């Protein structure tokens, strides 16, 4: 089968730095393109940053319809293994649904994921309980990209969402919710003040992890895509400080 072309700027990338690594995971229907500024901010602090492209993302929504949660998890696992082989200590950073993937890695590979940062993690969403039934009558629903208060910037995410992929999201979220009590690493969670895309999962996550070191930071001026919004500097600086404390010196 011929692979679909990758959207310009949407492929995986690595920024080589010091012996501390950061695995950064994009959200559902998005891709690495929108995370470039965030990744560069952490790289400037001395970290080696890797941003993989999850299968079915950064190409076409039809490609996403053919992927499963096991495909997404498999790529995230592979990326963590590769980064861990290059770096002494690694943190995982997840944005939106990437937050769910980051939490899964933290729960299942605590020796490889030293600490975790999530931004508007997508772990609980009662709206999606109907996805298996919707799949019987609709192939796609409208996209959810570019929820940014600035009115500018883009993730280059899909404008349509295959319902079959939403079913995969539901299955993965259910698994991650059961894994949260296994997470003991330091965790930093960011929550936007006006997220118009997903229900708040941040309080749910922080209330169920076993981490003694856990912190919530609000991003009051931002919508869902906070890493491209008005509080981006607050998000970047807060993450840099957290990583300096939990990973140690980057260089």
């Amino acid at each position: 089968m011929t692979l679909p072309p990758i959207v310009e700027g949407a492929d995986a990338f690595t920024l080589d730095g010091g012996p501390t690594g950061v695995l950064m995971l994009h959200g559902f229907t998005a891709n690495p393109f929108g995370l470039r500024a965030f990744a560069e901010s952490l790289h400037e602090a001395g970290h080696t940053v890797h941003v993989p492209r999850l299968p079915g993302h950064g190409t076409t929504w039809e490609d996403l319809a053919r992927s499963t949660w096991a495909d997404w998890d498999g790529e995230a696992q592979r990326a963590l293994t590769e980064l861990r082989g290059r770096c002494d200590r690694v943190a995982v950073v997840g944005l939106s649904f990437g937050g769910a993937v980051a939490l899964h890695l933290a729960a299942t590979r605590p020796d490889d994921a030293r600490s975790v940062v999530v931004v508007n993690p997508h772990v609980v969403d009662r709206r999606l309980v109907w996805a298996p039934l919707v799949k019987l009558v609709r192939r796609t629903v409208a996209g959810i990209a570019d929820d940014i208060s600035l009115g500018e910037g883009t993730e280059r995410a899909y404008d349509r969402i295959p319902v079959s992929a939403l079913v995969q999201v539901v299955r993965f979220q259910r698994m991650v919710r059961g894994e949260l009590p296994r997470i003991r690493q330091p965790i930093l969670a960011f929550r936007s003040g006006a997220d118009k895309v997903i229900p708040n999962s941040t309080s749910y996550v922080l209330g169920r992890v076993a981490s003694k070191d856990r912190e919530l930071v609000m991003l009051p001026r931002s919508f869902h895509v906070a890493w491209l919004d008005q509080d981006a500097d607050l998000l970047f600086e807060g993450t840099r400080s957290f990583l300096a404390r939990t990973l140690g010196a980057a260089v």
Side-chain angles (χ1 to χ4, degrees), residues 136-192:
L136 299 176
V137 296
R138 297 191 64 178
R139 189 180 182 194
T140 69
V141 294
I144 52 174
D146 297 341
D147 184 33
I148 304 169
S149 70
L150 288 172
E152 58 187 40
T154 181
E155 302 176 273
R156 294 190 180 174
Y158 298 144
D159 59 0
R160 303 297 300 175
I161 303 173
V163 181
S164 59
L166 287 175
V167 173
Q168 295 298 314
V169 168
V170 171
R171 293 172 180 170
F172 187 75
Q173 288 178 328
R174 184 183 304 120
M175 179 177 68
V176 172
R177 290 196 295 270
E179 295 172 336
L180 292 177
R182 297 166 56 182
I183 297 175
R184 299 182 179 278
Q185 300 96 314
I187 180 170
L188 172 63
F190 291 92
R191 177 184 171 189
S192 291

Side-chain angles (χ1 to χ4, degrees), residues 55-73:
H57 293 76
T59 52
T60 65
W61 67 258
E62 291 89 348
D63 189 27
L64 181 59
R66 293 187 288 266
S67 64
T68 68
W69 71 261
D71 296 327
W72 309 330
D73 176 50

Side-chain angles (χ1 to χ4, degrees), residues 83-161:
L83 188 59
R84 185 65 181 86
R86 300 173 58 182
C87 298
D88 297 336
R89 301 171 302 282
V90 172
V92 289
V93 177
L95 303 306
S96 192
F97 181 71
V101 181
L103 291 165
H104 173 63
L105 293 176
T108 57
R109 297 181 59 176
D111 293 336
D112 294 325
R114 179 72 66 90
S115 57
V116 58
V117 177
V118 292
V119 184
N120 298 323
H122 193 199
V123 176
V124 181
D125 195 336
R126 292 182 176 86
R127 302 171 303 176
L128 299 185
V129 70
W130 301 106
L133 294 177
V134 175
K135 181 184 174 183
L136 299 176
V137 296
R138 297 191 64 178
R139 189 180 182 194
T140 69
V141 294
I144 52 174
D146 297 341
D147 184 33
I148 304 169
S149 70
L150 288 172
E152 58 187 40
T154 181
E155 302 176 273
R156 294 190 180 174
Y158 298 144
D159 59 0
R160 303 297 300 175
I161 303 173

